Amino acid sequence: MEVKIEGSWKKLLKDEFEKSYFINLVQFLKDEYKTKTVYPKGKRIFYAFECCPFDKVKVVILGQDPYHGPNQANGLCFSVNDGIELPPSLQNIFKELSNDLGISAPQSGNLTRWANQGVFLLNSTLTVRENEPGSHQGKGWEIFTDEVIKLLATTKKNLVFMLWGKFAQDKEKLISPHNHLIFWVQTL
């Protein structure tokens, strides 16, 4: 299976796609998508990469795994498609934006606009079974996303990393605080 991912990322991550853990992950996903309901849809797994090419990344928001309810996950962490009710975590994000900055909540929870402006919305695990949060943890995604985080942290300077929740905060060890600004955001 060829990984469909934006060109700049594909070039930088080419070696990662050939490693045994990733090959095993791809086989696991093929089986999962055949036998289970998995989110996001296959063509949206790497949507965060598509919306925010490597050279455009300014901010990295790291979550745990995609939303696990029907029609919620769209390939960007904390984001839902237009017309989908806002999950509690996204409601809290918008509430904090309003409280801290006076920014009104948008009509939609679709964060594609953020991604197009350089906000890389990455989950540590890029897929999940329906109604089973954490179901694709330990299958290889964390190895892959750790490599993505390390690549960003060692290649770029002055990024803002927002680590939302305990799971994401465990990734702090991959990021140099001397080169980047790191925020911990407690889950509400």
Side-chain angles (χ1 to χ4, degrees):
M1 171 179 144
E2 182 180 342
V3 175
K4 295 189 190 321
I5 190 170
E6 187 275 332
S8 64
W9 285 108
K10 188 171 188 173
K11 183 177 179 182
L12 290 164
L13 296 168
K14 179 179 168 268
D15 292 342
E16 220 49 42
F17 300 137
E18 297 173 7
K19 292 183 179 176
S20 61
Y21 85 86
F22 197 86
I23 293 167
N24 292 337
L25 173 61
V26 168
Q27 186 56 55
F28 167 77
L29 291 173
K30 285 179 180 179
D31 294 342
E32 284 285 288
Y33 275 97
K34 282 181 192 171
T35 61
K36 308 272 193 276
T37 301
V38 177
Y39 301 121
K41 293 181 179 180
K43 65 184 178 185
R44 285 295 188 113
I45 293 172
F46 293 102
Y47 191 58
F49 298 84
E50 181 181 324
C51 291
C52 192
F54 182 80
D55 64 331
K56 303 288 186 201
V57 176
K58 300 173 196 164
V59 175
V60 178
I61 295 179
L62 187 62
Q64 183 171 333
D65 56 4
Y67 293 125
H68 54 86
N71 302 313
Q72 289 180 315
N74 71 1
L76 302 173
C77 76
F78 299 106
S79 179
V80 294
N81 289 319
D82 293 332
I84 301 299
E85 185 177 337
L86 301 182
S89 58
L90 190 52
Q91 289 176 25
N92 288 334
I93 290 167
F94 290 155
K95 184 166 67 172
E96 290 301 318
L97 283 172
S98 177
N99 291 343
D100 292 349
L101 303 173
I103 298 172
S104 299
Q107 295 295 318
S108 171
N110 188 334
L111 303 181
T112 300
R113 290 182 315 275
W114 291 12
N116 291 335
Q117 295 176 54
V119 180
F120 189 51
L121 297 158
L122 182 69
N123 277 310
S124 295
T125 304
L126 300 186
T127 57
V128 67
R129 277 187 209 141
E130 182 177 35
N131 298 322
E132 292 185 46
S135 56
H136 285 185
Q137 291 175 2
K139 304 297 183 185
W141 279 129
E142 295 90 346
I143 298 168
F144 177 75
T145 55
D146 281 1
E147 289 303 316
V148 170
I149 294 165
K150 286 191 256 184
L151 178 66
L152 287 163
T154 59
T155 308
K156 292 180 155 281
K157 298 272 190 230
N158 302 315
L159 293 176
V160 175
F161 284 86
M162 298 185 72
L163 310 178
W164 291 5
K166 173 77 172 95
F167 193 87
Q169 290 163 8
D170 289 342
K171 305 297 182 178
E172 182 181 21
K173 64 185 177 283
L174 305 173
I175 307 160
S176 169
H178 302 292
N179 296 328
H180 306 287
L181 185 59
I182 303 168
F183 289 102
W184 281 33
V185 182
Q186 299 300 327
T187 53
L188 303 173

